[in-house]
């Protein structure tokens, strides 16, 4: 067995797992211990919270049911950009202009913090590439120009409008009209970043246990008790960061979580054929509600994601994802999938993160589906500052609460909603002609 094979044991077979730079394993919890703060969940929300606390001198233990970054944090498209799944106009409709600006600035600060942590902790999350393009599926030049002007004025983002001719030079498809380039956003290796953040946590004294699923929690007393199959943690404070993998661990959080399946494929190297379709290094997503997102790797392979489904183990996934690529780039007919994988995202019904305090000493930080690699860092900082500094920034998220997400019918509701989004997209595309 090679060193890479040993390191990737316990991870789903993905591009990220095949190019992993991480410890072979981290220990499981096999004893009882006390700490100040216990974080449950080793995805980016939990790790960002743990690192924020460790950087502020707190004694932190983190429990992960599988491997660090095993879920959505280590299987996604690798897009890092400001904002949330809910658009800024929709946020403003709920909380007003001032709080919207404050919420969005949290993610802009997080974007800068991610870059600084990459340098500070020597995290190799390459290949990295600046720039994410939003490709318009519909004719919307005036709308995109107005959006760029508004966001640039408010946040100095430097968004760049691309007209139809410029888009055709970058993307050899008839599907796209105009585009909007965010030069502050970037792409990277999400699983190596996640493991790098875990290493940063331990370097500052935090303790991380993998393969240590929580089986029971007693949160009623001043001292909270968290049990696993082979050990326990007693803590003054607990932060629950399980999102789409929360299961039945906490009834209130579970009822507010919508676990949704989505998919990614990695193609074989395309060589010179890549230029027949894509002539840009930017990560790209389109403007449909049910959109595709993708990026070309330096070795000419395409990493392509999309679809939403209640089916977490679809058959012939690689073929299905290749068919999505060919709908945009039919000139790539004949390309093959190297590996394809599913993943589960945790959504809230309002499409905003769920951040807050359930009771004294019990916090939650979840619900980043669809826009997590930057927003999780923002959320981690918000919770870490609340615990370590009595900061009340977390209250900005209180209008976006723990709304009921459908219970057992939630995934089916999400599937029906996705089909509805596809119909809306087709109708909007027809109108734009």
């Amino acid at each position: 067995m090679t060193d890479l094979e040993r390191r990737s044991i316990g991870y789903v077979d993905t591009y990220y797992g095949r190019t992993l730079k991480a410890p072979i394993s981290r220990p499981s919890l096999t004893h009882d211990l006390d700490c100040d703060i216990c974080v449950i969940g080793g995805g980016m929300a939990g790790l960002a919270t743990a690192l924020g606390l460790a950087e502020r001198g707190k004694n932190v233990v983190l429990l992960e049911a599988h491997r660090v970054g095993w879920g959505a944090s280590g299987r996604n498209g690798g897009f890092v950009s400001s904002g949330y799944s809910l658009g800024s106009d929709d946020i403003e409709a709920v909380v007003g202009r001032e709080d919207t600006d404050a919420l969005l600035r949290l993610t802009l600060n997080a974007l800068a913090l991610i870059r600084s942590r990459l340098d500070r902790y020597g995290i190799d999350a390459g290949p990295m590439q600046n720039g994410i393009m939003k490709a318009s599926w519909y004719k919307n030049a005036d709308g995109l120009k107005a959006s760029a002007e508004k966001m640039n004025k408010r946040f100095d983002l430097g968004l760049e409008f691309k007209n139809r001719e410029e888009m055709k030079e970058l993307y050899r498809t008839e599907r796209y009209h105009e585009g909007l380039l965010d030069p502050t956003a970037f792409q990277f290796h999400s699983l190596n970043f996640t493991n790098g953040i875990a290493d940063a946590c331990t370097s500052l004294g935090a303790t991380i246990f993998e393969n240590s699923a929580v089986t029971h929690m007693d949160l009623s007393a001043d001292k909270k008790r968290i049990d696993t199959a082979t050990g326990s943690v007693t803590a003054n404070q607990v932060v629950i960061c399980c999102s789409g993998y929360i299961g039945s661990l906490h009834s209130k959080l579970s009822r507010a979580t919508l676990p949704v399946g989505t998919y990614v494929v990695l193609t074989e190297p395309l060589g010179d054929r890549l230029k027949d379709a894509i002539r840009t290094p930017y990560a790209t997503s389109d403007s449909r509600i049910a959109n595709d997102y993708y990026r070309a790797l330096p070795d000419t392979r395409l990493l392509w994601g999309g679809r939403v489904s209640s089916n977490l183990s679809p058959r012939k996934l690689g073929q299905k994802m290749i068919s999505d690529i060919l709908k945009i780039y039919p000139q790539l007919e004949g390309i093959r999938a190297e590996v394809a994988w599913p993943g589960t995202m945790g959504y809230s019904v309002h499409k905003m993160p769920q951040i807050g305090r359930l009771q004294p000493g019990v916090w939650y930080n979840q619900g980043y589906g669809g826009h997590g690699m930057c927003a999780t860092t923002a959320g981690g900082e918000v919770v870490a500052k609340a615990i370590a500094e009595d900061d009340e920034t977390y209250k900005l998220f209180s209008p976006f609460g723990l709304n009921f997400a459908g219970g057992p019918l939630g995934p089916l509701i999400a599937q029906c909603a996705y089909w509805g989004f596809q119909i809306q997209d087709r109708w909007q595309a027809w109108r734009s002609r």
Side-chain angles (χ1 to χ4, degrees):
M1 184 182 292
T2 67
D3 185 51
L4 174 58
E5 288 170 333
R6 286 193 294 271
R7 291 199 305 271
S8 62
I9 288 176
Y11 285 106
V12 173
D13 186 17
T14 67
Y15 157 70
Y16 300 111
R18 294 181 177 192
T19 52
L20 181 63
K21 298 175 182 177
I24 291 174
S25 65
R26 296 179 175 88
S28 300
L29 179 64
T30 57
H31 56 286
D32 301 331
L33 58 82
D34 294 324
C35 69
D36 186 13
I37 304 154
C38 179
V39 176
I40 303 173
M44 267 311 305
L47 289 165
T49 303
L51 182 54
L53 289 165
E55 288 177 335
R56 291 168 174 83
K58 295 299 181 180
N59 175 21
V60 184
V61 169
L62 183 146
L63 302 176
E64 163 55 37
H66 301 283
R67 298 287 307 274
V68 161
W70 177 86
S73 296
R75 304 190 202 180
N76 56 64
F79 288 35
V80 189
S81 62
S82 59
Y84 304 93
S85 289
L86 190 65
S88 60
D89 289 343
D90 293 323
I91 297 174
E92 189 168 337
V94 176
V95 302
R97 170 73 177 267
E98 183 177 349
D99 282 358
T100 298
D101 285 1
L103 285 164
L104 292 175
R105 289 195 184 282
L106 290 175
T107 65
L108 288 168
N109 294 340
L111 199 65
L113 181 58
I114 289 170
R115 290 186 183 273
S116 70
R117 283 175 169 171
L118 288 166
D119 292 336
R120 185 188 320 161
Y121 297 111
I123 300 172
D124 182 358
M128 293 181 62
Q129 172 65 48
N130 291 332
I132 293 180
M133 181 76 77
K134 176 70 76 172
S136 181
W137 199 259
Y138 323 110
K139 293 179 181 178
N140 189 29
D142 291 342
L144 287 177
K145 289 177 182 177
S147 177
E149 182 178 357
K150 180 179 74 171
M151 297 302 286
N152 288 341
K153 184 176 181 180
R154 286 169 70 171
F155 303 105
D156 194 27
L157 295 180
L159 297 177
E160 301 173 14
F161 171 78
K162 302 293 183 182
N163 62 34
R164 180 70 183 264
E165 290 71 28
E166 290 173 308
M167 290 295 286
K168 279 193 169 184
E169 282 299 311
L170 299 174
Y171 305 94
R172 299 301 172 124
T173 178
E174 295 299 317
R175 296 285 187 172
Y176 299 155
H177 293 273
E178 301 82 23
L180 206 58
L181 175 66
D182 182 354
T184 68
F186 59 97
Q187 55 181 277
F188 68 1
H189 192 297
S190 53
L191 185 55
N192 280 338
F193 175 72
T194 303
N195 271 280
I197 294 297
D199 289 341
C201 289
T202 56
S203 74
L204 296 177
T207 305
I208 294 176
F209 294 103
E210 293 184 327
N211 298 306
S212 301
V214 173
T215 57
H216 180 262
M217 300 188 299
D218 183 355
L219 307 177
S220 58
D222 289 341
K223 282 282 190 178
K224 323 300 180 188
R225 180 182 172 95
I226 312 300
D227 293 320
T228 72
T230 54
S232 70
V233 177
T234 303
N236 297 317
Q237 306 213 50
V238 174
V239 188
I240 303 171
C241 307
C242 303
S243 205
Y245 298 92
I246 193 166
S248 59
L249 182 62
H250 189 285
S251 59
K252 190 171 185 179
L253 297 179
S254 299
R255 288 194 300 267
T257 301
L258 182 61
V260 173
T262 187
Y263 315 107
V264 184
V265 66
L266 179 73
T267 72
E268 64 185 344
L270 304 185
D272 291 338
R273 293 192 68 185
L274 179 63
K275 295 180 181 178
D276 295 336
I278 301 168
R279 300 186 176 189
T280 174
Y282 303 137
T284 305
S285 66
D286 66 63
S287 61
R288 290 174 294 171
I289 304 172
N291 70 336
D292 294 317
Y293 52 92
Y294 57 92
R295 56 192 178 107
L297 300 175
D299 64 2
T300 72
R301 291 181 293 176
L302 267 179
L303 192 151
W304 188 287
R307 300 188 174 226
V308 167
S309 175
S310 57
N311 183 0
L312 303 182
S313 301
R315 298 179 59 194
K316 299 182 179 180
L317 178 57
Q319 294 179 24
K320 293 177 180 177
M321 298 302 291
I322 292 293
S323 72
D324 288 350
I325 297 175
L326 298 181
K327 290 173 184 175
I328 315 297
Y329 300 109
Q331 63 268 45
L332 295 179
E333 179 69 43
I335 66 172
R336 294 175 296 181
E338 187 171 291
V339 62
W341 60 94
T344 301
M345 298 182 294
Y347 270 91
S348 60
V349 295
H350 46 62
K351 298 174 68 175
M352 282 290 285
Q354 297 164 322
I355 298 172
R357 188 173 65 172
L358 289 167
Q359 64 192 63
V362 181
W363 301 81
Y364 59 94
N365 181 14
Q366 64 171 33
Y368 293 92
H371 211 294
M373 291 311 294
C374 179
T376 46
T377 294
E381 281 295 284
V382 165
V383 175
K385 289 171 66 176
I387 293 173
E389 303 168 10
D390 292 324
D391 182 87
E392 295 190 341
T393 301
Y394 74 93
K395 292 182 178 179
L396 286 169
F397 293 90
S398 60
F400 308 101
L402 297 173
N403 304 42
F404 180 61
L409 295 178
L412 178 59
I413 293 170
Q415 178 68 79
C416 293
Y418 180 73
W419 289 332
F421 294 154
Q422 289 180 312
I423 293 170
Q424 292 180 50
D425 288 330
R426 291 177 185 133
W427 168 250
Q428 185 67 23
W430 180 83
R431 289 185 61 194
S432 73
R433 296 194 188 104

